[in-house]
Amino acid sequence: KQEVTQIPAALSVPEGENLVLNCSFTDSAIYNLQWFRQDPGKGLTSLLLIQSSQREQTSGRLNASLDKSSGRSTLYIAASQPGDSATYLCAVHNNDMRFGAGTRLTVKP
Amino acid sequence: GAVVSQHPSWVICKSGTSVKIECRSLDFQATTMFWYRQFPKQSLMLMATSNEGSKATYEQGVEKDKFLINHASLTLSTLTVTSAHPEDSSFYICSGLRATNEKLFFGSGTQLSVL
């Protein structure tokens, strides 16, 4: 059974810092991995989708990498802003979809 | 931890039939349920948001008459794909928002294939 773990569970940084969020999974037979953000009381917003054949994806200040063999993905956020404050979740998709518990990010002005 | 049970996990149906997907929050009350779908090689996208006892709010481009959402209780929400067509073949997943701490909990998804 696929297990997805996210570290750290919470992170607080001053504005402008670069930061890395980590996601690990136990079964490397995945179709894809996605990163989302969740704002309080809201649903998910898709950030980046990495297919199993890809190693990374970039969108603006966000960069996500995927290393299937080691069961890891990282989400890199450059020059963090207070508007980046949210919970970030990763999810891996093979026959079903499994989510990590999320990293709660606070970016202080 | 909180659990959302989603059934069925996969379904194959003929074109023109209707399919119901069920999501239950087993040990918490989900004041809000979100329904998503993911087409092959695309990101998971929000379809609709439903609050218990009221009509669902659909995202742009999602036909509310085709994707019927019922959230009649705090522990059950259903998505019915009416008159399914092959282009509705997708991965559907629900998530429940636990009001006490505003955390989201997810079903494991339903793979729908319409022949």
Side-chain angles (χ1 to χ4, degrees):
Chain A
K1 177 184 167 184
Q2 180 76 273
E3 292 183 7
V4 183
T5 304
Q6 287 187 247
I7 294 173
L11 182 63
S12 181
V13 300
E15 181 176 5
E17 269 202 14
N18 303 325
L19 56 101
V20 175
L21 308 181
N22 298 290
C23 174
S24 61
F25 47 96
T26 55
D27 184 351
S28 61
I30 64 172
Y31 301 147
N32 58 57
L33 182 144
Q34 299 182 70
W35 282 93
F36 303 91
R37 70 176 278 167
Q38 185 214 348
D39 293 286
K42 302 290 180 65
L44 299 179
T45 299
S46 179
L47 298 174
L48 290 163
L49 167 68
I50 312 177
Q51 302 290 352
S52 63
S53 58
Q54 298 174 324
R55 308 219 53 166
E56 68 175 338
Q57 283 288 319
T58 298
S59 176
R61 293 182 293 109
L62 305 179
N63 175 277
S65 67
L66 174 63
D67 183 343
K68 270 201 326 178
S69 60
S70 66
R72 293 184 182 186
S73 176
T74 60
L75 177 68
Y76 176 81
I77 303 177
S80 59
Q81 302 170 357
D84 295 331
S85 298
T87 296
Y88 290 80
L89 295 118
C90 69
V92 293
H93 189 184
N94 36 25
N95 292 321
D96 59 12
M97 186 171 284
R98 300 282 170 170
F99 288 79
T103 294
R104 189 176 188 121
L105 173 66
T106 303
V107 181
K108 296 174 287 188
Chain B
V3 175
V4 172
S5 175
Q6 182 172 345
H7 293 282
S9 55
W10 59 270
V11 58
I12 301 173
C13 68
K14 291 182 180 179
S15 186
T17 60
S18 293
V19 175
K20 180 183 281 189
I21 302 170
E22 185 178 281
C23 259
R24 288 183 184 272
S25 55
L26 298 185
D27 52 359
F28 69 99
Q29 293 184 329
T31 51
T32 304
M33 279 277 197
F34 302 95
W35 285 93
Y36 306 85
R37 65 181 170 188
Q38 181 174 27
F39 293 108
K41 298 191 185 296
Q42 296 185 25
S43 299
L44 197 71
M45 297 299 291
L46 180 66
M47 297 176 66
T49 302
S50 73
N51 293 299
E52 182 261 341
S54 60
K55 289 185 179 180
T57 302
Y58 291 80
E59 297 299 301
Q60 193 170 11
V62 179
E63 300 174 58
K64 58 184 177 184
D65 293 330
K66 183 171 185 59
F67 298 98
L68 302 180
I69 291 173
N70 185 289
H71 191 173
S73 79
L74 288 171
T75 58
L76 175 64
S77 178
T78 60
L79 167 67
T80 302
V81 184
T82 62
S83 187
H85 288 96
E87 57 265 31
D88 298 323
S89 298
S90 184
F91 182 81
Y92 294 84
I93 194 165
C94 65
S95 66
L97 185 69
R98 185 164 71 183
T100 53
N101 61 3
E102 294 197 328
K103 282 203 72 172
L104 274 180
F105 298 92
F106 298 89
S108 54
T110 298
Q111 182 65 52
L112 171 64
S113 295
V114 185
L115 304 177

